[in-house]
């Protein structure tokens, strides 16, 4: 059995450190925000190369508050991609603004930067590039457009802790960067968590208030805020895990390089890491037009896979009211039909990579044979 992710073996490797950190919170009873969260905010912001970090309860809340800090609201438009987790778009919806989609670049699964200008209207306020799967979007062209057109950039870095664009870490590439610490993420809490990082002190101040009922001081509510606070136990766990993140990221990158080598010379399309990127492989997705059959066959061999994501957001029933139709974003739609995420986690062994790639190569050559048989008939 090869799992898709293996949180148990990771916990086993840091058990003592984590247990001691949790015990520390139990001893101080700082269960919500508190000193562990404050220390983690400082450490994670520094890790991203940003000045300020504001811990919140989820990545979705991070996106929501970043949009509010940028003054996005009803009547505004926010440009993003439909090939993302639904949360990116839900966060825009929470503010009352309208999500406007542009397609992805099929090589990278991130925003097609050549499609942005055409989507800008006088109502456009912000752009949310999504660093999907752990590879940063092509940020220089996005930054040029945002600067010229006066738009705020909010990075959805929920899958891209420690990823780099031309040597700079995600979170420090736009005006604000949003992270999720959902347990399965590259840096995952033992529960829910999220953070906004920024260099802008005004955004930082606003988000700090909004996450805690809009309060400047206790009971001094100067903004209509939310209960989006990060819990003390999550702060303590995340501090421990942050110390291991670089080693885990290198292990993921080594596993991805191993998969790449094992698939070399086969017809299996593997992920493309762009020259500008340090890809952190939250997801290692291959492509196939026989996905269901492959997923079933791998499952039967004890290999768990995932699909990130099977329906692009513009075709989800929940967002039918946006008025988009099929074939408007062909690259997103094709990716949604074809991507298949292979097991990927830092503890993935060489043997496990070999078993997975042998099984996938077997399926690929069987598909090839069927295809050439069909064309011969
Ligand atoms: C790209 C993307 N955006 C946003 C989110 C939302 O994060 P959370 O689940 O912490 O709310 C996630 C993760 O779930 C994500 O993968």
């Amino acid at each position: 059995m090869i799992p898709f992710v293996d949180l148990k073996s990771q916990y086993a490797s840091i058990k003592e450190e984590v247990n001691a950190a949790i015990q520390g919170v139990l001893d101080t009873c700082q269960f919500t925000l508190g000193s562990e969260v404050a220390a983690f905010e400082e450490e994670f912001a520094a890790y991203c190369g940003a000045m300020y970090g504001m811990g919140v309860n989820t990545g979705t809340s991070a996106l929501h508050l970043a949009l509010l800090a940028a003054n996005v609201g009803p009547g505004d438009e926010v440009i993003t991609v439909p090939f993302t987790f639904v949360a990116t778009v839900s966060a825009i919806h929470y503010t009352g603004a309208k999500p406007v989609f542009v397609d992805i670049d099929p090589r990278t699964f991130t925003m097609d930067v050549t499609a942005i200008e055409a989507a800008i209207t006088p109502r456009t306020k912000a752009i949310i590039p999504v660093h999907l799967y752990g590879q940063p979007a092509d940020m220089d062209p996005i930054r040029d457009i945002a600067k010229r057109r006066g738009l705020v950039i909010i990075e959805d870095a929920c899958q891209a802790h420690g990823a780099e664009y031309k040597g700079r870490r995600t979170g420090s590439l736009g005006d604000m960067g949003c992270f999720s610490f959902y347990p399965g993420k590259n840096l995952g809490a033992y529960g829910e968590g999220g953070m906004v990082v920024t260099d802008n002190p005004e955004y930082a101040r606003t988000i700090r208030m909004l996450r805690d009922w809009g309060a400047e001081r206790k009971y001094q509510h100067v903004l209509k805020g939310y209960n989006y606070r990060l819990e003390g136990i999550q702060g303590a766990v995340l501090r421990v895990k942050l110390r291991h993140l670089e080693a885990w990221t290198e292990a993921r990158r080594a596993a991805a390089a191993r998969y790449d080598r094992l698939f070399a010379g086969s017809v299996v399309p593997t992920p493309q890491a762009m020259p500008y990127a340090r890809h952190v492989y939250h997801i290692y997705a291959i492509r196939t037009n026989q996905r269901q059959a492959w997923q079933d066959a791998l499952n039967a061999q004890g290999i768990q896979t995932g699909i990130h994501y099977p329906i692009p957001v513009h075709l989800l029933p929940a967002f039918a009211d946006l008025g988009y139709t099929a074939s408007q974003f062909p690259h997103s739609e094709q990716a949604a039909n074809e991507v298949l995420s292979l097991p990927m986690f830092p503890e993935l062994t060489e043997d496990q990579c070999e078993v997975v790639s042998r099984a996938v190569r077997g399926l690929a050559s069987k598909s090839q044979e069927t295809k050439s048989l069909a064309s011969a008939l």
Side-chain angles (χ1 to χ4, degrees):
M1 170 74 191
I2 303 179
F4 178 64
V5 288
D6 188 355
L7 296 181
K8 283 187 183 158
S9 72
Q10 185 169 87
Y11 173 57
S13 75
I14 53 172
K15 189 169 181 164
E16 269 102 66
E17 281 174 276
V18 166
N19 288 4
I22 292 175
Q23 187 60 53
V25 178
L26 297 178
D27 291 339
T28 61
C29 292
Q30 292 187 346
F31 292 121
T32 184
L33 298 177
S35 57
E36 288 294 312
V37 168
F40 175 61
E41 288 175 334
E42 236 174 72
E43 289 160 9
F44 189 71
Y47 174 81
C48 296
M51 300 270 286
Y52 309 99
M54 287 71 67
V56 291
N57 58 341
T58 64
T60 310
S61 300
L63 288 162
H64 183 198
L65 296 191
L67 286 160
L68 292 179
N71 212 17
V72 170
D76 296 328
E77 293 178 357
V78 177
I79 294 173
T80 191
V81 286
F83 191 57
T84 181
F85 183 57
V86 68
T88 317
V89 184
S90 292
I92 299 169
H93 168 75
Y94 294 167
T95 67
K98 183 179 157 199
V100 172
F101 295 125
V102 298
D103 208 352
I104 54 163
D105 179 335
R107 294 169 305 165
T108 57
F109 302 109
T110 56
M111 187 174 274
D112 175 359
V113 295
T114 65
I116 298 171
E117 293 269 14
I120 296 175
T121 76
R123 291 181 294 281
T124 309
K125 259 290 188 40
I127 307 182
I128 306 185
V130 181
H131 305 318
L132 201 76
Y133 298 166
Q135 170 150 256
D138 189 3
M139 291 304 292
D140 276 351
I142 297 174
R143 281 148 55 123
D144 283 350
I145 294 167
K147 194 163 177 204
R148 251 186 305 110
R149 308 295 292 259
L151 307 176
V152 175
I153 300 174
I154 297 169
E155 297 172 69
D156 184 336
C158 287
Q159 301 189 0
H161 317 71
E164 291 172 17
Y165 179 81
K166 299 185 180 174
R168 281 178 60 182
R169 289 222 170 114
T170 55
S172 68
L173 304 167
D175 296 284
M176 285 172 269
C178 300
F179 292 87
S180 164
F181 305 121
Y182 181 76
K185 296 292 197 252
N186 287 24
L187 180 61
Y190 286 167
E192 304 275 355
M195 194 178 291
V196 186
V197 301
T198 186
D199 281 342
N200 181 316
E202 262 317 296
Y203 290 151
R205 202 177 95 83
T206 304
I207 291 167
R208 224 172 267 290
M209 290 195 282
L210 285 175
R211 72 165 174 195
D212 194 11
W213 292 119
E216 202 166 36
R217 289 183 308 281
K218 200 164 175 143
Y219 303 129
Q220 297 292 313
H221 303 279
V222 296
L223 297 172
K224 294 187 182 72
Y226 302 83
N227 179 355
Y228 282 174
R229 296 177 297 244
L230 181 61
E231 294 187 343
I233 286 179
Q234 305 313 334
V237 169
L238 287 163
R239 282 190 82 191
V240 169
K241 293 184 84 176
L242 180 57
R243 297 200 278 270
H244 298 274
L245 182 59
E246 276 304 289
W248 288 335
T249 299
E250 283 309 313
R252 283 177 184 274
R253 286 168 51 76
R258 197 168 300 128
Y259 273 144
D260 287 348
R261 273 198 305 278
L262 292 163
F263 287 126
S266 79
V267 292
V268 180
T270 52
Q272 285 192 45
M274 301 307 274
Y276 54 66
R278 180 197 194 206
H279 196 320
V280 296
Y281 295 99
H282 174 57
I283 299 285
Y284 186 96
I286 57 166
R287 301 181 76 133
T288 165
N289 55 14
Q290 319 216 6
R291 183 173 63 196
Q292 190 61 56
W294 285 27
Q295 190 167 38
D296 292 346
L298 292 170
N299 200 32
Q301 294 174 62
I303 298 169
Q304 274 184 356
T305 55
I307 299 173
H308 303 88
Y309 296 92
I311 307 173
V313 181
H314 69 290
L315 300 182
L316 286 174
F319 287 99
D321 59 339
L322 293 177
Y324 290 105
T325 52
S327 32
Q328 266 187 283
F329 304 107
H331 295 307
S332 294
E333 291 167 32
Q334 193 178 351
N337 286 330
E338 293 185 353
V339 289
L340 181 64
S341 313
L342 301 185
M344 172 52 73
F345 47 91
E347 299 76 16
L348 192 70
T349 65
E350 284 186 34
D351 283 354
Q352 287 175 318
C353 279
E354 264 169 44
V355 170
V356 173
S357 65
R358 206 176 311 124
V360 172
R361 285 185 73 138
L363 290 164
S365 58
K366 225 191 279 165
S367 310
Q368 280 284 83
E369 274 168 33
T370 322
K371 229 192 295 168
S372 41
L373 200 64
S375 56
L377 284 174

